[in-house]
Amino acid sequence: MVDAPPLSPVVAEAWSRLRACHGGISAKELAAATGRGSRRLQVLFREQIGLPPQSVSRILRFQRALSLPSDACRSLADLAALCGYYDQAHMNRDFRELAGLTPAQLCALADRAASRGKEPVDGRLANVFEH
């Protein structure tokens, strides 16, 4: 990392915007906000981050869904809306692809970990996947 070139100001600005809205901005809006075309922004992200902006957005939405307190939403549909997913099915697909579990399965694991006395760490449960 020491030998890596400094992060492009365009990528730094785009990264900052993505983080600020937890991935809830479209690639088109992100490109307009940075003054670059969508294709150019994709190339810069791939070169400097290793993923296109759409994938980064997806990961940030997923992280937000995982880090929200369990009482923040009444249902998984509410959680999906709060985290910027189009609908609950969209969130379910991302959870399955990124974690290998549905949100309900992951909640059940978290509940089991909590019942075994696992304390939250930074708003998340530690060792949720221990069996």
Side-chain angles (χ1 to χ4, degrees), residues 110 112-121 124-128 130:
R112 281 199 307 262
S115 70
R116 291 193 314 254
K118 301 292 182 187
E119 292 296 319
V121 176
R124 292 161 285 186
L125 286 171
N127 303 319
V128 169
E130 284 183 5

Side-chain angles (χ1 to χ4, degrees), residues 9-19 25 30 34 41 45 53:
V10 172
V11 173
E13 180 185 350
W15 171 254
S16 178
R17 287 178 183 271
L18 282 171
R19 295 261 334 227
I25 185 172
L30 189 61
T34 59
L41 199 55
F45 260 69

Side-chain angles (χ1 to χ4, degrees), residues 11 20 22 31 40 42 45 49 52-53 55 68 70 73 76 84 88 92-93 96 107 115 121 127:
V11 173
H22 307 286
R40 180 66 184 145
Q42 281 185 0
F45 260 69
I49 294 179
S55 295
L68 283 175
S70 58
C73 301
L76 290 175
Q88 187 178 342
N92 287 347
R93 279 191 304 276
R96 271 199 267 357
C107 287
S115 70
V121 176
N127 303 319

